[in-house]
Amino acid sequence: MVGKSTASMIIRETCVAIWDALHAAVMAQPHKEQWKEIADVFQKTCQFPNCAGAIDDKHIRIKKPVRSGSQYYNYKKYFSFVLFAMYDANYSFRYIDVGSYGSRSDSAVFAHSEFGKMLQDKALDLPDHTTLPGTTSPAMPFVFVADEAFALGENLMRPYSSRGLSLARQVFNYRLTRARRVVECAFGIIANKWRFLHTPIHLKLETAISAVKAACVLHNFVRARDGFNFDDSLSHSLQSHRPSVVRGHRQGAAVREQFTAYFMSPHGALPWQLEAI
């Protein structure tokens, strides 16, 4: 019989080996042409042009880490660390940051992540601005879609506040939600395939983090070979962060208004969008 400490060591070493073997192959940072390919799929499947990905984070339940105080105790009143991720429209992880304190807000997790810093520093090798389908101006940036917990920016779109929205802004929120749905689908797939994510992880913190990272790269590995069944994504037990109040900036607001106008134009409107809001 294998002892508990030995089993834990085997699990961690195996998860680290899986991450090391697969990470570069199935989760490498996209380059400019790959960003364009990701955006093409978002446009085809979600009808949101110039979308390079969807971002969100989820709480991963754990037992209280030793000598951690309240750092991992979240607003839902359980212990967790955060899985922050960026996804493409094929429900695959393109970037993950695993292990932030459960007590941190979405915006803080994002700001401290390598992805957030690279987006801020314009270091993601995103394509140059381009016009939206059917238009000749203006040239628009490539963007990531997120919920209201993230700050609006030139390359980061979030919904309008739900109070007293005009018809056009309601349509924008609907169109953004269509693109963001890949987040829930991706989390649903990974949680239903790797069932340990449905319950608190009773492993040491470092081992639990390694297990989640291994599950993410295995998810991508299997996605590329296994196909996708929508029913797998309908439910999961992972909790989102509580939305926090964060400010955007004027450049991001101007980009959002341009998308809003486009979604109401003959070139950008969907036949059913008014019935859907």
Side-chain angles (χ1 to χ4, degrees):
M1 179 179 293
V2 177
K4 184 181 294 185
S5 60
T6 301
S8 179
M9 181 183 66
I10 292 172
I11 291 171
R12 183 178 182 187
E13 290 180 353
T14 300
C15 290
V16 170
I18 290 171
W19 171 262
D20 290 343
L22 294 179
H23 175 239
V26 303
M27 206 183 290
Q29 180 181 321
H31 54 68
K32 189 166 296 187
E33 291 304 315
Q34 290 174 324
W35 286 122
K36 290 180 181 179
E37 292 172 1
I38 292 171
D40 286 344
V41 179
F42 268 102
Q43 169 63 9
K44 181 179 179 180
T45 61
C46 306
Q47 292 77 52
F48 200 111
N50 285 30
C51 181
I55 65 172
D56 201 1
D57 45 32
K58 297 292 183 181
H59 289 286
I60 305 297
R61 289 175 176 262
I62 54 172
K63 67 178 182 179
K64 181 182 179 181
V66 177
R67 293 186 294 276
S68 64
S70 61
Q71 290 174 320
Y72 291 93
Y73 195 65
N74 65 45
Y75 77 101
K76 289 281 190 177
K77 303 190 184 303
Y78 61 81
F79 292 95
S80 67
F81 60 79
V82 179
L83 164 59
F84 167 80
M86 189 275 286
Y87 314 83
D88 63 26
N90 289 319
Y91 311 102
S92 294
F93 295 88
R94 289 300 185 132
Y95 172 86
I96 61 171
D97 182 276
V98 187
S100 291
Y101 300 139
S103 59
R104 275 185 172 174
S105 67
D106 297 63
S107 55
V109 171
F110 175 71
H112 286 86
S113 70
E114 182 183 0
F115 180 85
K117 293 174 182 177
M118 292 182 73
L119 183 62
Q120 176 69 29
D121 295 338
K122 307 292 185 182
L124 285 176
D125 195 29
L126 291 173
D128 296 333
H129 290 27
T130 185
T131 55
L132 302 180
T135 68
T136 57
S137 66
M140 296 285 285
F142 283 75
V143 300
F144 299 92
V145 294
D147 64 21
E148 63 274 14
F150 294 87
L152 181 68
E154 180 185 12
N155 301 108
L156 186 58
M157 294 291 99
R158 70 173 186 186
Y160 290 99
S161 171
S162 58
R163 297 180 182 178
L165 292 181
S166 66
L167 181 62
R169 291 186 173 189
Q170 291 179 58
V171 168
F172 174 86
N173 283 2
Y174 166 68
R175 298 290 291 271
L176 184 138
T177 298
R178 279 177 53 81
R180 279 199 67 253
R181 68 184 181 183
V182 303
V183 169
E184 295 304 320
C185 288
F187 276 127
I189 296 167
I190 191 172
N192 289 340
K193 187 174 288 291
W194 314 109
R195 306 293 293 184
F196 75 94
L197 293 171
H198 278 294
T199 59
I201 303 176
H202 292 280
L203 295 169
K204 290 182 179 179
L205 179 63
E206 296 80 5
T207 305
I209 291 172
S210 294
V212 171
K213 291 170 66 176
C216 290
V217 291
L218 284 172
H219 166 86
N220 281 11
F221 181 81
V222 172
R223 281 285 303 124
R225 292 155 178 79
D226 210 20
F228 170 64
N229 180 352
F230 182 76
D231 290 341
D232 289 342
S233 68
L234 292 180
S235 64
H236 63 79
S237 58
L238 306 181
Q239 296 289 329
S240 296
H241 265 55
R242 177 176 58 187
S244 53
V245 179
V246 288
R247 296 181 179 180
H249 57 69
R250 292 180 180 178
Q251 196 168 10
V255 171
R256 186 168 63 178
E257 288 294 333
Q258 291 289 349
F259 273 110
T260 301
Y262 177 74
F263 291 149
M264 294 297 288
S265 73
H267 296 298
L270 297 176
W272 66 85
Q273 64 187 23
L274 297 183
E275 287 75 21
I277 60 177

